[in-house]
Amino acid sequence: MSGSKKTTKFVSAFATRTTCHGLDQVTEKGRPLWARAMWAVGLAILFTGMCLQLVIRIQEYTEFASDTQLHEEFESYIDFPAVSICNYNRFFNITDHSELAAVDGLIRLTSPLRDVSKDAEWEKLIQKYYQDATHIPLLSKEVEDKGWPLNEKTITSCTFHQKPCSFKNFKTFITTMGRCFTFTTDEEIVQSVPGSGHGLLLAFNIMQDYYSEHPDYGRPEAGLKVHVHEHDEPPMVEEFGIGIPSGFAGHLSIVKEERNLMHKPWGICNPNPKEMKYHPKYSFEECMTECRIDYIVDKCGCKPYWADVVQGISECDVWQILACSGSAEDSHITTGEELNLTAIDPYRAKLAKYRDNHLLLDVYFSSLSFTKITQSKKVTEISLASDFGGLLGLWLGISIVTLGEFIQFFCQLGALHLKKNDTTDDELKYYNATTLPSYYGNSRTINPNLSLDSNA
């Protein structure tokens, strides 16, 4: 038998036995030519439609689109966040005129609003004061000794969840705003009743009579700045805090929002965030802080006074601030948000002095519900594989088993062509019958007139 006839019979036998629908209608002998042609055209149309839909699904997957689900959940209680507080004034109780001039000079030199033409005058005052060996030339020491104290005199009232608290429930940290404090407690910090008065309610004495900030080069505000954040995130009071002026009550209503966002290329998150040098966990705030610290360390060879998380690097003293660190700090920008403010009885003249030094802060959840935002892949790998299987089965009845049949068929066809010069009839029978799985016969009826004899 010639090679072409052997190939034809082999292909006909495969088309009769395969589980791919319609092929036997095209290759079966004895059927009218017009019927076989119609089936061939129909199969071509079905194959084209299947390919178009498969291409569309692949394009949808490679667009890396995402779906966003937003729904509201309700709980019987909500974990209360950390509340960090800073006074607008950095240094208090400075009675010595030379010390006040030196501190004021340092504030002016590190202020973005400073008058550069007067830097030399302030540098002389700073050098004159710190040339005295008894004056430690470190701003951290100045902040520690002269920073805003939090005690029973400066926090006049403290309640959380309508239970008493005190200044002992605050921990101290140092920032560019001086000595600041974060509310914390050993007990579980939750709010189970929504509304004002059921969260953290504080009354402060801001000690405005002892302010040392210059209104032109320092901070002209009198009051506190408040930042609400997660417990495992560093406070960024100066950058993201909300200001509350003296003589007012600030009602800070907060809401909880949970976000589960996708990584690239489906979203904007990085599945492998930058490893932090000074903090155990990555966050946007910590990254900003570390970038600022690294900039000052690289430029000046010392760390800023507020970077207590940095170990092994000495703090910038007054002389380094004058030479370098002051200019390195100039690029700082502060931001704020609006807050609902209520005057504390402005109609009573006898409270004028009280209003100059006191304010109230009320931080609370307005609702025990929270918004949950979940981002997911629009087309997942599983759904893509399911679509492939569904389309292949819908148009041509192809399954994974059928794909195995085609792989085996092409391997056998290649082997047949490689041995076309010396293939015997017995080997052809082997390719047509023996090596094809027995389950083919269960899904298709073999043409009894199909002969594998070389004399056919």
Side-chain angles (χ1 to χ4, degrees):
M1 183 188 295
S2 65
S4 59
K5 289 184 178 181
K6 292 179 181 179
T7 301
T8 301
K9 288 185 176 292
F10 180 69
V11 172
S12 298
F14 173 77
T16 304
R17 297 177 178 225
T18 182
T19 56
C20 179
H21 299 172
L23 288 181
D24 57 342
Q25 304 293 336
V26 178
T27 61
E28 185 178 358
K29 292 183 177 180
R31 295 178 61 85
L33 182 62
W34 63 267
R36 297 170 66 181
M38 287 183 60
W39 271 100
V41 172
L43 286 177
I45 294 174
L46 292 175
F47 181 77
T48 302
M50 179 191 70
C51 290
L52 287 175
Q53 289 199 355
L54 289 176
V55 169
I56 291 173
R57 292 304 290 168
I58 293 174
Q59 288 178 340
E60 289 179 350
Y61 178 79
T62 55
E63 287 175 355
F64 302 112
S66 62
D67 287 330
T68 302
Q69 297 179 346
L70 190 151
H71 63 280
E72 191 171 7
E73 295 188 2
F74 296 85
E75 294 184 345
S76 57
Y77 64 88
I78 295 181
D79 293 332
F80 203 79
V83 180
S84 296
I85 302 165
C86 294
N87 198 309
Y88 276 112
N89 189 71
R90 283 177 277 193
F91 306 105
F92 292 83
N93 295 323
I94 298 180
T95 57
D96 183 78
H97 178 73
S98 59
E99 182 181 5
L100 179 59
V103 172
D104 195 22
L106 288 172
I107 293 173
R108 289 169 186 256
L109 291 176
T110 58
S111 171
L113 304 176
R114 79 175 192 255
D115 186 352
V116 181
S117 64
K118 296 183 178 181
D119 280 0
E121 300 177 17
W122 291 107
E123 287 181 6
K124 290 180 181 179
L125 294 173
I126 296 169
Q127 291 171 356
K128 181 180 178 180
Y129 177 75
Y130 284 105
Q131 280 175 352
D132 188 338
T134 61
H135 301 150
I136 300 175
L138 296 175
L139 269 179
S140 61
K141 179 64 175 176
E142 199 73 40
V143 171
E144 182 180 347
D145 294 340
K146 304 295 183 178
W148 183 50
L150 195 66
N151 49 42
E152 62 275 0
K153 293 182 180 180
T154 54
I155 181 168
T156 57
S157 176
C158 177
T159 60
F160 176 72
H161 207 273
Q162 296 188 337
K163 295 181 181 180
C165 55
S166 71
F167 66 93
K168 296 179 181 180
N169 296 115
F170 291 79
K171 63 180 181 180
T172 306
F173 63 98
I174 303 299
T175 71
T176 54
M177 296 188 69
R179 183 190 291 167
C180 301
F181 305 91
T182 298
F183 174 74
T184 183
T185 177
D186 295 334
E187 300 177 1
E188 188 177 17
I189 305 178
V190 297
Q191 182 176 341
S192 58
V193 179
S196 177
H198 295 282
L200 182 62
L201 184 60
L202 304 168
F204 291 101
N205 178 2
I206 64 170
M207 300 173 62
Q208 188 176 175
D209 292 340
Y210 300 94
Y211 270 30
S212 61
E213 296 274 348
H214 194 282
D216 292 332
Y217 298 98
R219 295 180 175 88
E221 306 96 327
L224 300 179
K225 208 167 187 182
V226 183
H227 180 213
V228 179
H229 56 95
E230 294 289 343
H231 289 277
D232 58 351
E233 293 180 355
M236 304 285 285
V237 183
E238 188 169 12
E239 293 83 353
F240 305 113
I242 299 175
I244 306 174
S246 61
F248 286 81
H251 302 282
L252 185 53
S253 176
I254 56 179
V255 294
K256 180 180 177 181
E257 184 178 275
E258 257 187 32
R259 297 182 183 181
N260 297 314
L261 304 180
M262 287 295 297
H263 56 79
K264 294 179 180 180
W266 291 272
I268 61 174
C269 294
N270 187 350
N272 300 307
K274 177 183 177 181
E275 185 176 349
M276 297 286 96
K277 290 182 180 179
Y278 316 120
H279 300 88
K281 181 181 177 182
Y282 174 87
S283 70
F284 174 73
E285 293 80 6
E286 288 175 345
C287 187
M288 288 180 61
T289 301
E290 291 201 1
C291 287
R292 189 176 175 191
I293 292 173
D294 288 342
Y295 176 74
I296 296 175
V297 171
D298 292 341
K299 184 176 181 180
C300 307
C302 57
K303 69 178 181 180
Y305 69 93
W306 45 266
D308 55 348
V309 295
V310 181
Q311 304 295 327
I313 301 177
S314 60
E315 178 188 335
C316 297
D317 59 24
V318 170
W319 317 116
Q320 290 170 309
I321 292 176
L322 294 177
C324 173
S325 182
S327 60
E329 291 270 14
D330 286 349
S331 59
H332 196 56
I333 299 175
T334 59
T335 60
E337 299 178 13
E338 293 184 358
L339 182 68
N340 178 21
L341 299 173
T342 306
I344 302 177
D345 201 357
Y347 307 106
R348 298 172 62 184
K350 67 179 182 179
L351 288 182
K353 185 69 174 177
Y354 180 87
R355 294 180 67 241
D356 287 342
N357 289 285
H358 290 77
L359 60 84
L360 297 178
L361 173 62
D362 185 11
V363 184
Y364 59 91
F365 279 106
S366 58
S367 173
L368 295 184
S369 64
F370 67 94
T371 303
K372 190 171 184 179
I373 301 174
T374 304
Q375 197 176 45
S376 59
K377 299 177 183 178
K378 186 175 182 179
V379 180
T380 65
E381 291 78 9
I382 294 178
S383 64
L384 181 65
S386 299
D387 290 340
F388 264 60
L391 292 172
L392 291 172
L394 174 66
W395 291 97
L396 295 174
I398 296 176
S399 65
I400 291 183
V401 173
T402 311
L403 295 178
E405 295 174 6
F406 274 95
I407 293 173
Q408 179 177 264
F409 165 72
F410 285 114
C411 291
Q412 292 174 342
L413 187 63
L416 185 64
H417 276 280
L418 291 175
K419 301 178 64 176
K420 62 182 179 179
N421 294 327
D422 55 352
T423 303
T424 64
D425 290 342
D426 291 338
E427 288 176 323
L428 183 61
K429 291 179 182 180
Y430 175 79
Y431 283 125
N432 282 332
T434 307
T435 58
L436 292 176
S438 60
Y439 54 75
Y440 293 161
N442 296 330
S443 58
R444 292 289 184 273
T445 302
I446 305 300
N447 185 352
N449 298 320
L450 180 62
S451 174
L452 300 180
D453 185 64
S454 58
N455 298 321

